[in-house]
Amino acid sequence: MTNLKKVSLLALATSTLYAAGYKIPEQSSDSVALSASNVAFSFGPDAAYYNPANMMYVDDVRHYFENSFTYIHLGKSRFDPDVKTAENYTTTSQNADFLVPTFHFVSPEYIENWRFGLSFVVPSGLSMRWKDTYPASTANNFSLKVFELNPSAAYRVSDELSIAAGFRVIYATGKVSTNPNGSLGGVTLNASRQLEGDDVNFGWNAAITYRPVEDLSLVATYRSKIDMNLEGNAQITSSTSTFVPGFNGSYNGPVSVNIPLPAVLTLGLGYKIDDVTLLAAFERTYWSKLERFDFNYGGSSIPAQAVFDKPVEKNFHDSNTYRLGVAWDATNKLRLMAGFAYDESPSDPTLIGFELPDTSAYIYSVGLNYKYNEDIEIAFGYLFQDRQNRHIDKNDERAKFNNVVGEMTNANSQLVNLGIKYRF
């Protein structure tokens, strides 16, 4: 695995997995339609992922599957510096599009009071591409895909209480390309770093559902922190307009970095009123474990060490997401859904760069589920993420290409999901 592999995975894994603008909590048709508020009550086999304790409350005891695809469109971000110069100018990122597959399964009670589930999801993804020389100096290409396989088991303690636990297997692959080009302490630097890699990591999750009465559900779920210990190979080249010791040369060797994927606690409440189900969820992401990205090149010296071996400070803080949803059983076959969420940003505005123009977001969604017959359901969901503009204050007068002070106009995101649920 090359260095870029590891770096991209690291910088992207943490950024995209949970950061406000890039995490992908919507991993099923219902979750897209309900802005991922479907934690207290589950309407399908995605209970295996969102709250495996709810598997004990699935009505139909047969094998229950869901397959869906989500098309994700990330629009362009635009940066306008407060002070425009030849090196700090208005620039715009490129669009990005993804097609994300998901799968969920809930078993019947092979063993009395026990059910088993399996989910395959893509919990995060990012593609930030800047072509202009200025932003490409620190973020020419940052892309990441994270795949998760999550087997789980649920146990019915009583008619009112169920508990569950699961095992997370995460595979991540990413690419990073940076091309520092510009003034550095009065000298012009022209350098390049290419990274590309993958890694496998493990974690766990747990859940509990309490239903004191049939129409009220109180739940809690927890996903563990995962340390990404990334190792690989780095390729770096660097030159300056006039010779500067330590800035000229090349490197092709090992690199490693540790990045925590923060734990997530979710508390949910659901209440049914006749044909209407009201949902609310509070999500706490423990981002404060992410303080910096610090690359280790195996004790070897590298060119432009002040640029490529300097820890990338992030200083994230814990953040909250507030989710609301409503589902209406319009007929025996048709369920209509809508959702809203507010997702806080965990980032420090003095440490934001082009690789992750993170921001808070307002989220709106709608969808439907149609029961074609007793065995097959067809589902649709649409979600619009309104990412807020943000002023960035990452000042660096010595390295102008790393000076990011101005207004980031963040692109909006859209998700369209089509899914099918089936039993046998």
Side-chain angles (χ1 to χ4, degrees):
M1 290 179 263
T2 66
N3 160 27
L4 234 187
K5 235 172 153 177
K6 294 317 193 173
V7 173
S8 76
L9 170 58
L10 120 74
L12 294 177
T14 49
S15 329
T16 64
L17 252 163
Y18 298 97
Y22 301 107
K23 63 181 176 182
I24 311 177
E26 301 84 12
Q27 296 295 319
S28 67
S29 298
D30 289 343
S31 66
V32 171
L34 291 164
S35 295
S37 63
N38 55 321
V39 182
F41 282 105
S42 301
F43 303 102
D46 61 350
Y49 179 72
Y50 287 97
N51 180 4
N54 278 354
M55 293 191 295
M56 300 312 305
Y57 297 97
V58 175
D59 292 333
D60 198 319
V61 296
R62 294 178 294 168
H63 300 86
Y64 199 5
F65 296 84
E66 176 180 349
N67 291 94
S68 73
F69 287 89
T70 301
Y71 167 72
I72 302 175
H73 173 74
L74 304 179
K76 298 177 180 180
S77 292
R78 174 188 170 99
F79 177 71
D80 290 292
D82 287 351
V83 179
K84 296 182 180 181
T85 68
E87 292 185 287
N88 300 152
Y89 47 82
T90 297
T91 184
T92 304
S93 70
Q94 295 185 309
N95 290 327
D97 298 278
F98 307 92
L99 186 62
V100 177
T102 59
F103 168 83
H104 303 283
F105 164 71
V106 173
S107 78
E109 293 186 34
Y110 298 131
I111 305 172
E112 186 177 2
N113 293 325
W114 287 88
R115 278 188 177 169
F116 302 94
L118 180 68
S119 291
F120 173 78
V121 297
V122 183
S124 72
L126 169 68
S127 179
M128 286 304 301
R129 293 176 295 169
W130 302 84
K131 293 302 182 185
D132 290 339
T133 300
Y134 169 34
S137 292
T138 53
N140 174 237
N141 180 17
F142 271 65
S143 61
L144 174 74
K145 295 179 181 179
V146 177
F147 305 92
E148 177 177 349
L149 188 66
N150 187 189
S152 57
Y155 175 68
R156 180 187 294 109
V157 179
S158 66
D159 289 340
E160 296 80 23
L161 180 68
S162 63
I163 57 176
F167 181 65
R168 305 174 65 194
V169 182
I170 290 180
Y171 171 76
T173 177
K175 295 182 178 181
V176 172
S177 175
T178 59
N179 301 103
N181 192 316
S183 63
L184 179 64
V187 175
T188 300
L189 173 68
N190 188 354
S192 173
R193 178 176 62 177
Q194 302 295 319
L195 307 166
E196 182 177 346
D198 57 9
D199 203 7
V200 176
N201 299 273
F202 304 93
W204 57 273
N205 63 288
I208 183 170
T209 294
Y210 176 56
R211 296 190 178 181
V213 295
E214 183 179 358
D215 294 333
L216 176 64
S217 180
L218 306 171
V219 307
T221 69
Y222 183 81
R223 294 188 178 275
S224 71
K225 168 178 169 285
I226 299 177
D227 283 315
M228 306 280 288
N229 297 305
L230 307 177
E231 298 179 355
N233 186 75
Q235 295 181 352
I236 299 173
T237 60
S238 177
S239 63
T240 54
S241 55
T242 59
F243 179 79
V244 178
F247 277 87
N248 294 267
S250 62
Y251 174 82
N252 187 349
V255 66
S256 64
V257 65
N258 176 270
I259 298 183
L261 301 184
V264 180
L265 171 68
T266 303
L267 305 177
L269 167 68
Y271 187 67
K272 292 183 177 180
I273 306 174
D274 296 327
D275 296 328
V276 176
T277 302
L278 304 176
L279 299 164
F282 167 79
E283 183 179 293
R284 180 72 167 176
T285 303
Y286 295 95
W287 261 124
S288 57
K289 296 297 182 181
L290 178 56
E291 298 176 352
R292 65 185 59 86
F293 300 145
D294 191 3
F295 298 98
N296 187 328
Y297 294 93
S300 302
S301 62
I302 62 171
Q305 189 166 352
V307 176
F308 294 124
D309 199 22
K310 181 181 179 180
V312 181
E313 300 293 335
K314 286 300 178 184
N315 192 31
F316 275 24
H317 59 265
D318 297 341
S319 64
N320 301 326
T321 304
Y322 308 89
R323 305 183 184 278
L324 298 172
V326 58
W328 174 40
D329 292 322
T331 70
N332 291 333
K333 290 181 174 292
L334 178 64
R335 181 173 69 252
L336 302 177
M337 296 168 283
F340 170 79
Y342 174 66
D343 197 5
E344 293 179 347
S345 168
S347 58
D348 183 336
T350 65
L351 299 172
I352 296 174
F354 289 113
E355 77 283 355
L356 180 57
D358 177 63
T359 182
S360 299
Y362 293 96
I363 301 168
Y364 311 87
S365 62
V366 294
L368 59 86
N369 189 94
Y370 180 72
K371 190 174 183 180
Y372 181 74
N373 57 37
E374 291 302 315
D375 300 325
I376 298 175
E377 301 168 65
I378 299 172
F380 166 81
Y382 172 78
L383 180 146
F384 179 79
Q385 184 187 70
D386 183 12
R387 297 173 57 207
Q388 302 302 291
N389 299 339
R390 191 172 192 182
H391 192 272
I392 298 175
D393 297 295
K394 186 181 180 183
N395 187 33
D396 191 336
E397 292 300 328
R398 182 170 182 269
K400 286 293 187 178
F401 54 79
N402 195 41
N403 187 66
V404 188
V405 179
E407 187 77 6
M408 185 68 75
T409 304
N410 286 290
N412 297 320
S413 304
Q414 299 183 67
L415 282 69
V416 178
N417 177 279
L418 292 174
I420 183 170
K421 305 173 187 177
Y422 50 99
R423 298 179 172 90
F424 69 86

